[in-house]
Amino acid sequence: QVQLVESGGGLVQAGGSLRLSCAASGRTFSSISRYAVGWFRQAPGKEREFVAAISWSGSNTYYADSVKGRFTISRDNAENTVYLQMNSLKPEDTAVYSCARSTGGTASVRIYDYSYWGQGTQVTVSS
């Protein structure tokens, strides 16, 4: 069973930065290193939405229009970890951020392409 654990969330003022981490644990070293990983977020009363995704090699990345130019997704397969650097944060970025492992190596913006999910980490941006 693949377990994903997010960290790095917190409270930050508008314009600030946070760096989220998504670490894989479990029996298999390659639990995420051979798969695409995505970040999604869900604000209170809203549906979960796509934020960013990265292919298994890191060569391809995708971003939601709302975060493009402010967020950067990256990965360190040696550490079995994926990161989401969030800059110029806005109050509308407030949400629970979750990472998920895709069913394959190609990055996808579609929620149903992801099979393993972390519990999420809260990001709160104050105005």
Side-chain angles (χ1 to χ4, degrees), residues 2-3 14 16 19 31 41 47 55 60 66 72 110 119-120 126:
V2 175
Q3 293 181 331
R19 188 194 197 201
S31 53
R41 67 187 182 186
E47 293 186 353
S55 62
N60 292 304
S66 59
T72 302
R110 303 178 301 187
Q119 292 298 309
S126 63

Side-chain angles (χ1 to χ4, degrees), residues 68-80:
K68 202 170 294 183
R70 300 187 297 122
F71 291 11
T72 302
I73 189 171
S74 62
R75 67 188 302 155
D76 183 342
N77 284 343
E79 296 294 327
N80 226 14

Side-chain angles (χ1 to χ4, degrees), residues 9-74:
L11 174 64
V12 64
Q13 289 187 333
S17 298
L18 286 173
R19 188 194 197 201
L20 305 184
S21 298
C22 172
S25 63
R27 297 181 293 113
T28 306
F29 169 76
S30 60
S31 53
I32 64 169
S33 62
R34 296 181 181 180
Y35 296 89
V37 173
W39 283 97
F40 295 79
R41 67 187 182 186
Q42 187 167 21
K46 296 187 177 181
E47 293 186 353
R48 181 177 286 175
E49 65 175 358
F50 169 78
V51 175
I54 187 166
S55 62
W56 75 272
S57 66
S59 60
N60 292 304
T61 57
Y62 297 99
Y63 297 93
D65 288 343
S66 59
V67 307
K68 202 170 294 183
R70 300 187 297 122
F71 291 11
T72 302
I73 189 171
S74 62

